[in-house]
Amino acid sequence: MSKIIVPKGTYDLLPDDTAKWRDLETKIHQIFSEYGYGEIRTPLFEHTELFQRGIGETTDIVEKEMFTFADRANRSLTLRPEGTASVVRAYLEHNLAGSGGVTKLYYYGPMFRCEAPQAGRFRQFSQYGAEVLGSLDPRVDAEVIALAVNFYRRLGITDLDVRLNSIGCPNCRPVYRSKLIERLRPKTGGLCSNCQRRLERNPLRLLDCKNPSCQDATADIPLITETLCAECGSHFEKLRILLDSIPINYHLDSRLVRGFDYYTKTVFEVLAGDLGAQNALCGGGRYDNLVEECGGNPTPGIGFAAGVERLLIVLESRKTSVFHPETPELYIAPLGEAAQLAVFPLLIKLREAGWKVESDFLGRSLKAQLKTADKMGVSLVGILGEDELQGRQILMRRMATSQQEMIPLDYDCIINFLKTEK
Ligand SMILES: [Zn+2]
Ligand SMILES: [Zn+2]
């Protein structure tokens, strides 16, 4: 019979991987907690309409990347392709605005998009992200960007490229939009089929098309930052002063528009040299109309989402030692059945006391057991042969020096020995 393998664009995490993931996850929870965020966990699937309304009908995600299916009552459901729409839904459903203060939420978990898999891009992938709801203040924008960037710095990734832009608001963006359509309409024939289709509905997306002929067509178009209204202009200026004060180095990128319809004012991306330009480590922006769009009172918001797989690729490629291998603190090697029986309760008891202890369950030779312990990276091996057992003793061997020491075969004595060796 043929073997069944994982679906395209998905993968298994094996024990060596999950140890790294857990370590990274701990660091993620830690930084969000330090910046005053509360964790939110939303369902993996939602009503399809949430994403259509929340992300926007003309986005790549909604047009062609969602895993949408009908449930048994023929309701249309979709595996969440991103986190923001669900967080905003939950924010409204549970009235998290409450007393009207600023609500700071973060999430972590799998997202699903039916994209062509490539390096660092999967159909089930993991993201962490922040959403801050209730404040228009550019200090919130700066704090969100600082959190996103400082997390990478903590992990030892310092050569970051932070790209920043403002894409205006419903007052000033339409002006820029018509300018763009006007300038590009005569060049329609030279655009890629995607951009031809998007020109009238979502012309901003043409700015970040990677197709060379589209880049040529948009080479000399006016900058969006030049047509911002007074409010957007001042917000952007204050944000830049705040980022300089941290300091966070960034560069202005007038082509940065991000793939979501809901962004207003600030948009940003963080890139690392190792990944291609299309693979940002994280990206986000302000969305002052999304809450209203989803049926709530007008509430400003800003957030970002960051990919975990891409981050791990960067960390692996740099061999940064941010992960702690889960090496056992002791390996006990019993020789013969009597020794096995004596070691077994000791093994369980030591583990219950919080020590990481391994042993052999195959009845192998001392040589084979030492080889296994060495492979695990264990520094201390307790050897229990027939002679030791008869003398109620255990031979402790330090693997690095091959130095050996006989100690009583007694739980307390072993614990004391482990403590002094640590
Ligand atoms: Zn504006
Ligand atoms: Zn194009």
Side-chain angles (χ1 to χ4, degrees):
M1 233 191 320
S2 64
K3 269 189 203 150
I4 298 171
I5 58 165
V6 292
K8 191 174 170 182
T10 67
Y11 56 87
D12 297 308
L13 286 177
L14 305 178
D16 278 350
D17 307 316
T18 47
K20 286 179 193 163
W21 278 69
R22 276 207 310 272
D23 204 352
L24 190 62
E25 284 159 13
T26 305
K27 291 179 164 71
I28 291 169
H29 292 298
Q30 192 183 340
I31 191 165
F32 277 114
S33 151
E34 286 165 13
Y35 276 71
Y37 286 75
E39 188 189 4
I40 184 162
R41 299 187 187 186
T42 61
L44 297 192
F45 58 87
E46 301 264 6
H47 292 295
T48 303
E49 195 193 349
L50 174 72
F51 302 117
Q52 288 168 334
R53 264 162 64 183
I55 301 173
E57 300 268 12
T58 64
T59 57
D60 284 352
I61 294 182
V62 172
E63 276 185 342
K64 53 193 183 196
E65 294 169 1
M66 297 203 302
F67 281 102
T68 297
F69 57 97
D71 70 5
R72 282 164 189 272
N74 223 21
R75 284 174 293 240
S76 180
L77 300 172
T78 294
L79 295 179
R80 62 180 190 191
E82 54 98 59
T84 305
S86 302
V87 171
V88 168
R89 178 201 48 71
Y91 170 82
L92 292 173
E93 195 166 332
H94 305 284
N95 190 26
L96 296 181
S99 53
V102 177
T103 308
K104 295 165 77 169
L105 301 167
Y106 80 96
Y107 59 84
Y108 169 82
M111 307 290 163
F112 307 85
R113 286 185 206 170
C114 193
E115 289 185 276
Q118 47 174 273
R121 183 179 289 174
F122 300 92
R123 292 184 167 181
Q124 175 177 330
F125 56 98
S126 286
Q127 283 191 334
Y128 61 90
E131 313 293 350
V132 182
L133 292 139
S135 172
L136 264 171
D137 198 305
R139 281 178 300 169
V140 175
D141 305 43
E143 191 195 68
V144 163
I145 296 172
L147 189 161
V149 171
N150 284 338
F151 186 64
Y152 300 127
R153 287 180 175 168
R154 283 185 189 189
L155 295 173
I157 308 170
T158 49
D159 57 327
L160 297 163
D161 177 11
V162 182
R163 300 183 179 179
L164 187 69
N165 194 19
S166 174
I167 55 170
C169 69
N171 293 326
C172 54
R173 188 158 49 200
V175 181
Y176 182 70
R177 217 172 152 265
S178 1
K179 249 192 209 172
L180 210 55
I181 296 175
E182 206 178 292
R183 288 284 285 268
L184 292 171
R185 209 177 266 146
K187 300 178 179 174
T188 309
L191 302 174
C192 75
S193 58
N194 234 346
C195 288
Q196 288 192 8
R197 202 167 39 82
R198 293 192 291 206
L199 177 60
E200 303 290 332
R201 289 159 69 195
N202 199 352
L204 259 69
R205 288 308 309 278
L206 272 65
L207 298 179
D208 69 355
C209 181
K210 302 289 182 274
N211 190 306
S213 62
C214 300
Q215 294 202 328
D216 276 355
T218 56
D220 57 348
I221 48 111
L223 302 180
I224 187 162
T225 39
E226 286 162 8
T227 55
L228 295 178
C229 66
E231 190 201 318
C232 290
S234 136
H235 183 96
F236 197 45
E237 202 184 302
K238 283 179 191 158
L239 169 61
R240 293 176 59 185
I241 292 169
L242 290 163
L243 290 176
D244 290 339
S245 76
I246 297 175
I248 299 268
N249 295 323
Y250 58 86
H251 82 257
L252 297 179
D253 180 355
S254 57
R255 286 180 176 267
L256 180 64
V257 293
R258 306 279 303 148
F260 299 110
D261 281 358
Y262 53 58
Y263 285 127
T264 51
K265 292 192 172 79
T266 312
V267 288
F268 71 96
E269 275 183 2
V270 182
L271 285 84
D274 324 47
L275 299 165
Q278 294 189 50
N279 281 334
L281 278 175
C282 84
R286 180 164 274 286
Y287 47 85
D288 291 337
N289 306 304
L290 180 61
V291 175
E292 206 177 349
E293 216 42 56
C294 292
N297 294 325
T299 309
I302 178 166
F304 76 86
V308 177
E309 286 84 357
R310 289 173 190 180
L311 174 54
L312 282 162
I313 290 175
V314 173
L315 291 173
E316 292 282 332
S317 75
R318 298 183 181 196
K319 311 240 182 306
T320 38
S321 54
V322 289
F323 302 115
H324 310 293
E326 301 192 334
T327 312
E329 292 160 298
L330 174 69
Y331 185 98
I332 310 183
L335 302 168
E337 205 182 326
Q340 288 168 8
L341 290 174
V343 161
F344 188 73
L346 198 60
L347 179 68
I348 303 292
K349 223 174 153 182
L350 285 167
R351 285 172 176 166
E352 286 303 308
W355 295 90
K356 255 180 248 164
V357 189
E358 261 313 323
S359 187
D360 170 83
F361 286 87
L362 294 170
R364 290 179 303 174
S365 69
L366 178 62
K367 198 178 157 200
Q369 294 195 51
L370 287 175
K371 212 171 147 190
T372 302
D374 194 46
K375 238 169 132 182
M376 287 178 174
V378 186
S379 54
L380 211 55
V381 176
I383 301 165
L384 193 70
E386 271 172 40
D387 291 348
E388 287 88 8
L389 188 61
Q390 231 147 54
R392 301 300 301 160
Q393 287 185 310
I394 183 165
L395 186 66
M396 300 301 264
R397 179 187 172 95
R398 297 179 188 92
M399 295 296 276
T401 57
S402 299
Q403 234 188 349
Q404 305 191 137
E405 193 174 322
M406 199 70 89
I407 66 165
L409 181 61
D410 168 78
Y411 171 75
D412 291 322
C413 293
I414 295 175
I415 293 263
N416 280 337
F417 187 83
L418 287 174
K419 279 182 184 160
T420 52
E421 290 293 308
K422 219 175 175 181

